[in-house]
Amino acid sequence: MAKKPTGFVATCQCGAVVGAMNYERMHQHDAGWLLCKWLGQGCKVEPQFAGTWRATVEPCRCAPSNG
């Protein structure tokens, strides 16, 4: 049987870790909304399976758009 993720980490196209979520502590609706937001922004979303994982969230390093 496949393991269920305990969390997710979002990495921007610039390589910065811009978000992390403890899936076990979030309401499913809120978790789904956040995952959709990250994916819509073009982030790579990686599931975390270990009981203890860490992520250091940092600001995006992408150049601001002129739009």
Side-chain angles (χ1 to χ4, degrees), residues 23-52:
Y23 186 67
E24 295 178 323
R25 293 185 173 206
M26 287 191 77
H27 188 276
Q28 275 189 327
H29 179 269
D30 296 334
W33 179 86
L34 188 53
L35 288 169
C36 286
K37 178 181 173 190
W38 287 340
L39 292 170
Q41 292 173 341
C43 294
K44 176 174 70 172
V45 178
E46 296 181 80
Q48 303 296 311
F49 295 99
T52 57

